[in-house]
């Protein structure tokens, strides 16, 4: 009986060690050390590097001659009250599979330990009228570089969002308008509808992020006459 108890105790300790190791690997992947950038960003591009190349310590560099510019127009219609811009930004990544990236390493639990490089950046939106904003962002804000001696790694924009709330204070509902790489074409227009009931704060859940719907019929009939919208428009800017 004593030997069985010792075996069970050892098995319990081993299981806890495995769980702790798995959690530590996951935390390191999600919250890595941020490498610094040495090249000034194009005007209006405040790059916040969120790279996952923690095992290599290689910095990402901003592109001083970024040319792939897109003008965004935002229009808010029928809002239940004042809305202020909380954030406007997008993410980039070097996508797998790509020959410039080293092979994926797995932990003993089979979880990938080598993630592909990612980064995020914000861009400026300026209010140009009541409920209207405009700004320019660059999809080539990062330099394509050879990080691992395997060839040049190309950065690709993944997607982004524009976020509004009543005053920008904590606890308020965040109204989020998304866009992604497939939306990058001249004449792109996407209108999303949002229920007014969660303004300025969702009574059931503070700091609620409301993604809205492109089809107002997704809402129950009782809410369809009480919606407002946020419209995004994109236009390519020629050098």
């Amino acid at each position: 009986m004593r030997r069985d108890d010792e075996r069970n105790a050892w098995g319990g300790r081993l299981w806890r060690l495995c769980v702790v190791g798995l959690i530590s690997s996951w935390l390191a992947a999600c919250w890595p050390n941020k490498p610094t950038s040495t090249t000034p960003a194009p005007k209006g591009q405040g790059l916040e590097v969120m790279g996952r190349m923690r095992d290599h310590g290689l910095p990402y560099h901003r592109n001083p001659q970024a040319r792939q510019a897109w003008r965004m127009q935002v229009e808010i219609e029928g809002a239940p009250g004042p809305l202020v811009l909380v954030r406007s930004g997008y993410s980039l990544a070097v996508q797998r599979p790509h020959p410039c990236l080293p092979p994926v390493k797995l932990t003993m639990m089979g979880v990938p330990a080598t993630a592909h490089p990612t980064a995020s950046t914000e861009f400026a939106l300026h209010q140009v009228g009541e409920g209207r904003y405009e700004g320019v962002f660059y999809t080539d804000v990062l330099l394509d570089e050879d990080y691992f001696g395997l060839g040049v790694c190309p950065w690709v924009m993944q997607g982004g969002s524009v976020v509004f709330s009543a005053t920008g204070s904590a606890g308020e509902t965040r109204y989020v308008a998304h866009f992604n790489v497939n939306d990058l074409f001249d004449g792109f227009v996407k209108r999303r509808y949002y229920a007014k009931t969660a303004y300025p704060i969702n009574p059931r859940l503070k700091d609620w992020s409301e993604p809205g719907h492109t089809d107002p019929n997704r809402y129950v009939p009782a809410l369809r006459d009480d919606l407002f919208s946020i419209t995004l428009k994109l236009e390519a800017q020629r050098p």
Side-chain angles (χ1 to χ4, degrees), residues 3-63:
R3 181 173 297 177
D4 290 340
D5 291 341
E6 291 176 351
R7 185 182 298 112
N8 292 336
W10 170 249
R13 287 194 295 270
L14 180 60
W15 170 250
R16 287 193 293 272
L17 286 173
C18 290
V19 171
V20 171
L22 177 60
I23 293 175
S24 298
S25 298
W26 179 77
L27 288 174
C30 292
W31 286 276
N33 295 325
K34 295 180 181 180
T36 58
S37 181
T38 58
T39 307
K43 185 177 181 180
Q45 298 289 304
L47 183 69
E48 177 190 3
V49 173
M50 297 180 65
R52 295 184 177 180
M53 295 162 67
R54 61 190 184 282
D55 297 330
H56 307 279
L58 299 176
Y60 306 152
H61 297 97
R62 299 183 181 97
N63 186 354

Side-chain angles (χ1 to χ4, degrees), residues 24 83-84 185:
S24 298
L83 287 174
V84 300
F185 59 87

